[in-house]
Amino acid sequence: MKMRKSWLGMGLAFTTLMTACSPGNSAEALSTGGKTVVTLSVQQDSEFYRAVEQKFEQAYPEIDLQVQAYKGIGETMKGPDYENYQKSASTALLSGKGADIYETSSLPVSEYVNKQLFLNMEDYLKQSQTLKRDDLAMNVLNALKLDGGTYIIPSGYYLRAFLGDGDVLKQADVDDKSWTWQDFNEIAKSLIEAGQKAGSSHRYALPNNPPDLLLQEMVFDSYNQFVDAAARKAKFDSPAFIYMMRQIQEMYDDNVMTSKPAEVENQLFYSTVIQTPADFINIPYTYFANPKLLYKPHSGNSGAMRIIPISAFAIQAKSPVTDQAWRFIEFLLSEEAQSIQSREGFSLLQSLNHKQLGELQQQVKSGTYKLPSGKLASVPDGQFKEFQEMMDTADNFAMMDVKIINIIGEEAGAFFSGQKTAEEVAKLIQNKATTYLNE
């Protein structure tokens, strides 16, 4: 395999490298030894990129895929690195230079789409002769659309799930497809009080969860309610956001939530990231003897599991090798690439996910599947169907900006510690978010 470039320089050095190593918007594509060069810019090199490069070039020997990694395998991305990478990528893209394909995890995709820097792959996706559309996880691809177009396609995805103690929830009437956080608070309070009357120790809805982190997660789940990415406008001084902060404070005041850790058996719910089909068993049954997968409390948005794209890719709009770049994206969605062991997350091919769930179900039935604790797993057959349905229908996603979420985390503590009012903090977040969005 050819040597990779490790871009350790910052700013201008990075841009210079990108310009020199990529075709930019020149009339003809670069070539090496008669092969068409396609450049792929990634933030961090990985075993997956190495494996997919090798397999892609075997499938398309006429293409030379050159992976340009800002950081090598094992190197650490520090705070300034993310900002420097984003600034350098923006400079290259705005000048019509840069790589042909970008991994977009730390890039402001909405901004780039608004500036027409990324290619809409919708027609490529529809016209593909090799992809099996009826096998693609279209719930994920549709959720990731911007303005009706397909600008990013991931190699995999995680799911943010919400779990409950199924044994305790039998005592409550929970319509999790429509419940709000206010409903959640009232249900949790009644379950906690009922447990204490029955002689059990105090339980918490969600322990070990500081209020500012809960606020960030709730904004994650309803990001479009507070940020209009297309218009570059924030709405954090709205009554809805102020109410959200007060609602969170109320749950901590009522001792329903706590920042303190608690024993596993002392919590009623658990919010977690499910990274693989096996996690549908490993995580829920670590916390509860009879776990129940729930829709998350929500208001004005979907309570379905939130989609977290892994290694999402976009094609530069001005690349002179868009057809060859699309072949790489198309290859990522093939069974060969999706089956690479180092690929992270759920597959974009439903057949592979269903196959893994089926194999897990058979292992549980045969009494050979063990939890991480070493205990044999006991999972009702019906739960595998629930897992699959929720996986196949997950549609909650927003193209959020991490900087906005960080602003919320930095400023919200002043309200939860009693130093400032909800209105003061909301105004401060609004001003900082607006300044950032208008930069």
Side-chain angles (χ1 to χ4, degrees), residues 81-114:
D81 289 337
Y82 295 97
E83 185 175 351
N84 286 328
Y85 177 75
Q86 184 182 121
K87 286 182 177 178
S88 298
S90 295
T91 299
L93 281 166
L94 286 169
S95 67
K97 306 293 183 181
D100 301 303
I101 308 170
Y102 281 86
E103 196 281 309
T104 64
S105 59
S106 65
L107 301 180
V109 174
S110 295
E111 178 183 339
Y112 290 175
V113 169
N114 289 341

Side-chain angles (χ1 to χ4, degrees), residues 353-367:
N353 295 328
H354 297 171
K355 179 183 178 182
Q356 289 186 49
L357 274 179
E359 291 171 349
L360 291 167
Q361 186 172 10
Q362 290 304 314
Q363 291 176 42
V364 170
K365 277 185 176 182
S366 65

Side-chain angles (χ1 to χ4, degrees), residues 6 36 62 92 185 189 198 299 337:
S6 181
T36 300
E62 73 279 10
N185 188 30
K189 277 197 293 187
S299 177

Side-chain angles (χ1 to χ4, degrees), residues 409-420:
E410 291 165 0
E411 304 300 335
F415 166 69
F416 294 119
S417 64
Q419 298 176 25
K420 295 181 180 179

Side-chain angles (χ1 to χ4, degrees), residues 36-52:
T36 300
V37 173
V38 175
T39 50
L40 167 61
S41 173
V42 301
Q43 180 176 275
Q44 181 104 38
D45 201 358
S46 70
E47 295 297 337
F48 172 69
Y49 293 138
R50 297 190 179 195
V52 77

Side-chain angles (χ1 to χ4, degrees), residues 306-373:
R306 176 158 50 84
I307 297 164
I308 306 171
I310 304 299
S311 296
F313 298 93
I315 298 175
Q316 185 196 161
K318 292 184 179 180
S319 166
V321 291
T322 52
D323 287 348
Q324 290 85 351
W326 166 251
R327 285 178 197 158
F328 173 75
I329 303 295
E330 193 175 46
F331 181 76
L332 279 174
L333 298 177
S334 70
E335 185 171 350
E336 182 178 6
Q338 289 289 298
S339 300
I340 293 175
Q341 190 172 3
S342 55
R343 186 192 59 76
E344 296 184 50
F346 289 88
S347 172
L348 268 292
L349 298 181
Q350 290 184 327
S351 58
L352 293 183
N353 295 328
H354 297 171
K355 179 183 178 182
Q356 289 186 49
L357 274 179
E359 291 171 349
L360 291 167
Q361 186 172 10
Q362 290 304 314
Q363 291 176 42
V364 170
K365 277 185 176 182
S366 65
T368 60
Y369 190 88
K370 292 183 179 180
L371 298 171
S373 64

Side-chain angles (χ1 to χ4, degrees), residues 85-145:
Y85 177 75
Q86 184 182 121
K87 286 182 177 178
S88 298
S90 295
T91 299
L93 281 166
L94 286 169
S95 67
K97 306 293 183 181
D100 301 303
I101 308 170
Y102 281 86
E103 196 281 309
T104 64
S105 59
S106 65
L107 301 180
V109 174
S110 295
E111 178 183 339
Y112 290 175
V113 169
N114 289 341
K115 293 179 180 178
Q116 299 181 335
L117 299 178
F118 284 159
L119 179 73
N120 185 353
M121 294 180 277
E122 188 71 16
D123 288 340
Y124 281 101
L125 191 63
K126 290 179 179 178
Q127 295 169 14
S128 172
Q129 299 298 310
T130 62
L131 293 178
K132 299 177 181 178
R133 285 181 60 84
D134 57 351
D135 190 25
L136 290 176
M138 293 306 298
N139 59 305
V140 175
L141 294 179
N142 287 334
L144 269 55
K145 285 185 176 184

